[in-house]
Amino acid sequence: MINNFDTKTLLPVRSSQGLDSLKHQEKKDLVLVNLGPSHPASHGTLRAFLALDGETIAAAVTEIGYLHRGFEKDCEAHTFQQCIPYTDRLNYVSAIMNNVGFCKAVERMLRVEVPERAIYIRVITNELNRIIDHLVCAGANLVDIGALTNFWYSFNVREKVYNILEKLCGARLTSSYTRIGGLSRDVYPEFAAEVKAVLKEIQLGVNDVQKLVSNNRIFLDRTKDICVISKERAISYGWTGPTLRACGVEYDLRKSDPYYHYEDFKFDIPVGSVGDTYDRIFIRFYEIEESIHIIEQALGKMPKGPIITDDKRVALPPKQQTYGNIEGLMNHFKIIMHGICPEPGEIYDFTEAANGELGFYIVADGGKNPYRVKCRPPCFMNFAAFGEMIEGTMVADAVATLGSINIIAGELDR
Amino acid sequence: MGVESLPILTTRKDAVLAWGQKNSLWPMPFGTACCAIEFMSVVSSVFDIARFGAELVRFSPRQADLLLVAGTVTFKQGPILKQIYEQMPDPKWVISMGVCASSGGFYNNYCTVQGIDQIIPVDVYISGCPPRPEAILEAIIKLQHKIENPHTTPVAQYKAKEPHFDF
Amino acid sequence: MESAILFEKLKEKFPQAIKGSTDRFGQLEIQLEAKAIPDVVQFLRDDSECEFNMLIDIVSVDYSAYPDWKEDRFGVVYLLKSLTLGHRAQLKVTVSESNPEIPTISHLYANANWLEREAFDQIGIRFEGHPNLKRILNHHEFVGHPLRKDYPITRRQALSANESLMDEMIVRLKEKGWE
């Protein structure tokens, strides 16, 4: 059916060599196996090259970069506002957290004050995204272990959160909700009531999942004391976020370097005790509950007011002013044509994203494009430790562990 | 004598085969990025791909007849995609899900393949970044129509134009 | 510890290595000689008043198109964090285009291995003494360093076949005691 094509126009791509060419190099009694880059349990495009002694992993080498799509170079070729859609696709499960992280860094560079209402909406949407991220991570991880029902339970509530986000910003996954200096639009009138209703359902869904797994013998056997990583090693690998807290380090940027009034919200940081796969999965369920508390408090405190700053350097004027007077028109023209131009300088700014410390190192040269953007993805550090963690365990344990450190390839490879 | 009373039915062999194939597509999701997350939504309860007979997701290309490329394909990923496609037995179809797979999307840069049709032939393209779950279901319906009418729909094609390298 | 006090402390300890400092939005960036990086970072990690036990990131920047840039072409920024004391540090070295070499710190922090590989891959900084300095994000047939300012964004390079990773595996197996 498909033979009438001209091979010259195709990319010079051969099929991979596979393992056949390596057979002669195989060590005595060891079997070499590729786990990934296209493997159902490899969560996207990760590759682990394993030397197996029976079913035990004797040595593991990992390779990344299969989803390296040039985020940093693309940012250099676009204006600061145009970079926001690219940040969506870093951690695409919790897109708004990346938007907020990037905008917060640029806002600090510009010394722009974000209105209070925008800050509270950012907190609420951030925590909703954290819930989604944890639900997807835990749900997919449990599928890897064989518990498919949990996947439906966690994805059902997730759809309901997506309905809210869709009403809010028009897109399900890649929302681009924030703007530099505020937000793209205000919340709709029934927002608070709908979020409250969804929070109840999330709690029910999480309870259902926990009921299924917390006393389940198979689940406990497959996760307890599996792939333990010590506190010191995790810190040396630069782990942050839930995976580090699972090792027993009480470190959360929302508490240690508070931003966006996180110091005013009452919430706890769940901390694990062992640092095994079980802790890494369950800490996410507890964090979902803490996020629910934060959202409830933030909904109560949310003030009225504008959702974007009135700073003329970053925010477009209201449409009446653009069409009504010459200053508004000039301001509009200047922002659209010349873009947002921070003073030359360099900044490293960070937020607590769902996976850990999400940092942006931005270099500005006074122009409308960032001179250099370096993203500090939390997954990168997590996956760097993966090879070391799984050595000496079984292949099935490696699969269970990979899910628990929640690797999102878009963020890992950028 | 009515047709209903006869115990036999006459039809063409290829029509019967196509009828069977279109209603039991076994997709192999080649999920790389954001679109794969959206594909998970299509499989789960709310959108439910099972209504179109394509719910049996196979993760081995040797058991699948529909390759669903969901997400950005980079040059590093290219040989893998080619190998996966070649491992699938005939007859096989390819859906390119999302703009990244279809054309590179807004990743017009040094590491992204500008459309998977530079590597493998594609039957149905889906727009969107990522496409809504309904769009994926529509693509499945389109593909079913194509399987049923192989002579009136275009065959899967590689991109006709030169892949633009810019050395 | 305040970053200004940290700067004074480092200046006292390494008078030759420290070149200066710049304020970066409340965080003092300390500039130093490239050769001194491992000693300074080790001191920062082990000193009881510093205790920078986490390496947050290694950022590499190509300044060749930066307006009024007078120093060497490439800058590398080390971001450190102390989980016990809560403070951060930001170190910067610059290296020239002809000799972009910095001694490695991969023996001090476990994640420095990959972060240095990324800086090598994207900008072309060579880290002396790195155990496995090869590309990490781009494929092994890639020529050039894409985040340099003279690399055009649309210069694409196709890969014909993936690498086998056997070179890394042999080293790893030897470390684990296999023949």
Side-chain angles (χ1 to χ4, degrees), chain A residues 15 64 69 74 86 166 172, chain B residues 38 72 86 106 109 132:
Chain A
S15 291
I64 64 167
R69 43 187 181 181
D74 266 331
Y86 283 99
E166 202 181 342
R172 287 160 54 86
Chain B
E38 207 61 341
T72 319
E86 283 170 355
F106 74 167
N109 57 25
R132 289 192 51 86

Side-chain angles (χ1 to χ4, degrees), chain A residues 150 153 203-217 219 282 285:
Chain A
N150 303 286
Y153 281 176
Q203 188 67 61
L204 285 177
V206 172
N207 288 350
D208 283 345
V209 174
Q210 286 196 21
K211 266 184 227 156
L212 276 176
V213 295
S214 54
N215 289 318
N216 185 321
R217 181 67 191 279
F219 173 75
F282 261 76
F285 292 132

Side-chain angles (χ1 to χ4, degrees), chain C:
Chain C
M1 200 196 318
E2 286 288 311
S3 44
I5 303 171
L6 178 72
F7 176 63
E8 292 304 322
K9 194 180 167 81
L10 278 181
K11 216 170 166 185
E12 207 172 287
K13 179 86 185 164
F14 302 96
Q16 277 95 44
I18 308 294
K19 291 201 290 195
S21 66
T22 316
D23 181 50
R24 302 289 188 200
F25 298 91
Q27 175 69 52
L28 205 65
E29 178 194 278
I30 299 168
Q31 287 120 16
L32 52 143
E33 291 285 341
K35 287 273 170 288
I37 272 287
D39 295 340
V40 173
V41 173
Q42 184 155 23
F43 170 75
L44 288 176
R45 189 189 67 165
D46 297 337
D47 187 70
S48 60
E49 284 182 0
C50 302
E51 281 193 17
F52 287 101
N53 50 2
M54 185 184 278
L55 175 67
I56 293 286
D57 205 350
I58 296 177
V59 184
S60 47
V61 188
D62 174 11
Y63 284 105
S64 61
Y66 201 81
D68 304 325
W69 186 256
K70 299 202 174 57
E71 290 176 55
D72 290 328
R73 179 173 175 184
F74 301 115
V76 178
V77 182
Y78 294 77
L79 300 162
L80 302 171
K81 162 94 190 172
S82 167
L83 291 190
T84 44
L85 303 172
H87 53 220
R88 288 174 186 262
Q90 192 164 328
L91 310 174
K92 185 187 221 175
V93 299
T94 50
V95 285
S96 66
E97 187 180 354
S98 55
N99 188 27
E101 286 195 353
I102 300 175
T104 180
I105 57 163
S106 55
H107 55 288
L108 298 173
Y109 295 98
N111 59 348
N113 188 318
W114 277 24
L115 289 170
E116 287 181 351
R117 274 175 69 184
E118 191 191 330
F120 164 73
D121 184 4
Q122 299 283 50
I123 295 275
I125 314 280
R126 286 199 301 278
F127 292 91
E128 287 168 78
H130 190 285
N132 179 30
L133 195 63
K134 61 184 230 182
R135 290 189 181 276
I136 184 164
L137 293 179
N138 293 302
H139 53 75
H140 62 116
E141 292 172 11
F142 202 90
V143 181
H145 302 283
L147 284 188
R148 288 192 178 185
K149 287 287 170 183
D150 50 12
Y151 191 96
I153 184 168
T154 51
R155 181 185 287 170
R156 305 183 222 284
Q157 303 189 22
L159 170 69
S160 61
N162 291 90
E163 66 181 317
S164 69
L165 291 185
M166 207 55 204
D167 51 339
E168 284 180 61
M169 181 55 92
I170 288 168
V171 175
R172 190 69 192 147
L173 280 172
K174 270 194 187 128
E175 282 171 16
K176 300 294 277 183
W178 292 83
E179 258 310 290

